[in-house]
Amino acid sequence: MKVVGSIPEIRKILREIRLAGKTIGLVPTMGYLHAGHLSLIDEAKKHCDFVVISIFVNPTQFGPTEDLDKYPRDFKRDEKLAREHGVDLIFFPDAAEMYPKPFFTYVVTEQLSKTLCGASRPVHFRGVTTVVSKLFNIVQPDVAVFGQKDAQQAIIIRRMVGDLNFPVQVIVAPIVREADGLAMSSRNVYLSQEERRQAPIIFNALKSAKEFVSKGDRDASAIGKLIRRTIGGSPLAEIEYVEIVDPITLENVQNIERGTFVAVAVRFGKTRLIDNVVLID
Ligand code: AMP
């Protein structure tokens, strides 16, 4: 497994790979790998000959008061996990390599980046679409794999790839959860013991909403209230949003239909957790 920090160097290596007729898969990450990331690597391996993961804590997707500096990092551990998982190359650039000064160009997916997480994180998705565009241009993957955990991000990236004709196939892999249902996230390490104990309430609420829908309830407003009430049962949970939305426009729906999903953001102390489920698959 190679570890490469420089853009000219990764380009040179990948040119050879392409010349040898191999297909390339990319899994963009911010590191501090967990089983969710590893499932994306497995998915990429199913579709490609050569798997690249990027590990880059992307400064442009963090707001000024967010956790950029304290975002968990452990490159040695990530390197070991990636090697054990059959990754072929880790792209591990520093911020100066990705954002040489001056830097003036951003990619923005209008509309979709303003709702849900975009409402409280106004620069977040601009940072995501910009860095993912850069990674697509650097790696030129045949396939890129993202997680359903960040449902809005996956929808925005699909839209961007379609709108801007990036020649890459986007695959979205299912959410990997802890045994008690909490969606895996690098940020889960921020949770105190008590917060961690209460956090599975989020998935419990989403699961029971899905059960209600499967019994025939299609009223988004009633299902939204049910979810709020359930999560509200945890004294440490502070709901940022519960939205039941269309998977293409991310607009709120009144009636739940196939593909409609519920997305939530909930704070436990200083930690912001997100989760989602598709209500009718
Ligand atoms: P991150 O390192 O948090 O930026 O995540 C990198 C990629 O891993 C994104 O496409 C995420 O959606 C995906 N991911 C993060 N957590 C999970 C999870 N629990 N299950 C599946 N994919 C995940």
Side-chain angles (χ1 to χ4, degrees):
M1 185 184 73
K2 293 187 165 69
V3 177
V4 179
S6 113
I7 294 169
E9 195 183 337
I10 188 175
R11 284 213 156 122
K12 184 158 167 277
I13 294 167
L14 294 179
R15 203 175 301 128
E16 297 297 320
I17 298 294
R18 268 187 293 275
L19 273 175
K22 292 187 177 168
T23 54
I24 297 170
L26 171 67
V27 179
T29 83
M30 297 204 298
Y32 213 69
L33 301 181
H34 53 65
H37 297 115
L38 300 179
S39 76
L40 307 188
I41 293 169
D42 291 340
E43 189 62 29
K45 284 175 65 172
K46 279 193 223 156
H47 298 270
C48 302
D49 304 315
F50 190 92
V51 173
V52 177
I53 72 167
S54 56
I55 296 184
F56 180 58
V57 182
N58 173 36
T60 61
Q61 71 190 66
F62 288 77
T65 61
E66 294 181 356
D67 58 343
L68 173 63
D69 292 335
K70 72 173 177 95
Y71 194 84
R73 294 164 169 90
D74 188 344
F75 184 73
K76 280 286 155 242
R77 181 173 158 276
D78 288 348
E79 192 181 11
K80 181 165 179 287
L81 283 171
R83 181 174 289 117
E84 285 167 3
H85 242 75
V87 168
D88 297 292
L89 187 153
I90 301 182
F91 181 48
F92 185 51
D94 61 19
E97 186 73 5
M98 290 298 275
Y99 295 105
K101 291 198 169 99
F103 185 90
F104 294 144
T105 308
Y106 292 88
V107 178
V108 177
T109 301
E110 303 281 0
Q111 314 304 334
L112 301 182
S113 57
K114 297 193 178 102
T115 58
L116 308 179
C117 290
S120 67
R121 306 187 73 192
V123 299
H124 176 66
F125 289 111
R126 180 185 78 153
V128 169
T129 40
T130 300
V131 82
V132 170
S133 300
K134 287 170 68 68
L135 291 169
F136 284 175
N137 284 333
I138 294 164
V139 174
Q140 297 177 30
D142 298 279
V143 167
V145 187
F146 296 86
Q148 173 68 18
K149 161 76 178 9
D150 299 273
Q152 183 177 14
Q153 168 175 286
I155 287 163
I156 288 175
I157 286 165
R158 271 197 200 287
R159 178 89 277 133
M160 176 188 85
V161 162
D163 290 352
L164 298 184
N165 308 95
F166 279 101
V168 55
Q169 182 195 350
V170 172
I171 294 176
V172 180
I175 301 177
V176 176
R177 299 179 179 281
E178 303 285 356
D180 59 11
L182 177 65
M184 287 195 182
S185 164
S186 307
R187 289 188 167 102
N188 289 351
V189 294
Y190 298 155
L191 295 168
S192 71
Q193 238 181 0
E194 187 50 29
E195 288 163 354
R196 174 64 188 82
R197 210 182 59 73
Q198 293 186 21
I201 192 94
I202 299 174
F203 183 56
N204 290 340
L206 300 184
K207 238 184 356 189
S208 50
K210 187 164 175 143
E211 271 161 33
F212 263 84
V213 173
S214 76
K215 288 183 190 137
D217 199 333
R218 295 286 183 272
D219 177 1
S221 146
I223 295 291
K225 279 187 192 136
L226 173 78
I227 294 168
R228 285 177 176 278
R229 208 178 317 125
T230 311
I231 297 176
S234 158
L236 296 179
E238 231 181 279
I239 295 175
E240 182 184 301
Y241 69 74
V242 172
E243 304 284 4
I244 298 181
V245 296
D246 177 275
I248 294 173
T249 63
L250 293 180
E251 281 168 1
N252 290 101
V253 299
Q254 287 185 332
N255 285 311
I256 295 165
E257 291 169 14
R258 182 177 293 266
T260 301
F261 73 98
V262 52
V264 304
V266 180
R267 284 180 194 279
F268 282 85
K270 289 197 172 104
T271 309
R272 184 175 176 279
L273 302 178
I274 58 169
D275 202 347
N276 66 88
V277 300
V278 177
L279 291 168
I280 308 179
D281 300 292

